[in-house]
Amino acid sequence: MKSLNINPNTEKPIFLQIAEQLEDSIFTGIFPEETKVPSTNEISALLGINPHTVLKGMNMLVDEGILYKKRGLGMYVKEGAVERIREKRQGQFYEQYVAALIREASKLGMSREEVFRLIERGYDHECHTD
């Protein structure tokens, strides 16, 4: 299992960190759709945290349609989970980056064309750098 990196010293709750890291492991293919994810007890033992904290994070993913419970067998990645995660992340990407970029550009009095040129310049730089 990919090691989870939980930081107890951050403001982000541990259950949320667990949910985000499991989600990322699903999105990147570490846990493919219709496969079992580690149990709450396995994760809590690995991290030395309360199983209820782990379960709270896993239940978030159940509520979002990413995981589902097989009675007596554990938690599994739901079919279509990767697409649900992609849609969720695209929405977050818009809010965190695109909307913020447009608000800041507006404050700076930048035109749409100036913003596009900056994005193209940044994209060219990032895509052609090793």
Side-chain angles (χ1 to χ4, degrees):
M1 176 174 112
K2 174 190 170 214
S3 65
L4 298 174
N5 298 312
I6 301 304
N7 182 354
N9 300 321
T10 182
E11 290 184 24
K12 187 178 288 188
I14 291 173
F15 76 91
L16 190 54
Q17 293 180 55
I18 291 168
E20 288 175 350
Q21 290 195 29
L22 281 171
E23 179 183 282
D24 197 56
S25 293
I26 292 164
F27 190 66
T28 58
I30 292 169
F31 300 120
E33 293 180 4
E34 295 301 327
T35 62
K36 188 178 189 299
V37 297
S39 72
T40 55
N41 289 333
E42 289 172 322
I43 295 172
S44 67
L46 176 72
L47 300 174
I49 59 175
N50 189 313
H52 294 289
T53 302
V54 177
L55 185 60
K56 187 173 181 181
M58 292 178 111
N59 280 334
M60 279 184 58
L61 298 179
V62 170
D63 293 343
E64 292 177 14
I66 294 168
L67 294 178
Y68 69 96
K69 300 172 191 177
K70 279 190 182 180
R71 191 172 183 91
L73 297 175
M75 296 275 199
Y76 285 75
V77 180
K78 195 169 191 176
E79 186 175 331
V82 172
E83 187 55 34
R84 275 189 279 293
I85 294 168
R86 178 178 286 107
E87 289 170 3
K88 173 184 167 184
R89 288 183 174 194
Q90 285 174 345
Q92 291 170 335
F93 180 85
Y94 175 82
E95 286 303 316
Q96 290 177 322
Y97 301 105
V98 177
L101 171 77
I102 293 168
R103 283 191 298 272
E104 188 63 22
S106 178
K107 287 180 197 173
L108 294 169
M110 295 175 73
S111 70
R112 172 188 291 235
E113 291 74 23
E114 289 171 312
V115 172
F116 287 164
R117 279 195 302 273
L118 280 177
I119 291 170
E120 286 173 350
R121 187 174 90 199
Y123 191 83
D124 287 345
H125 175 76
E126 290 301 316
C127 292
H128 293 97
T129 304
D130 290 323

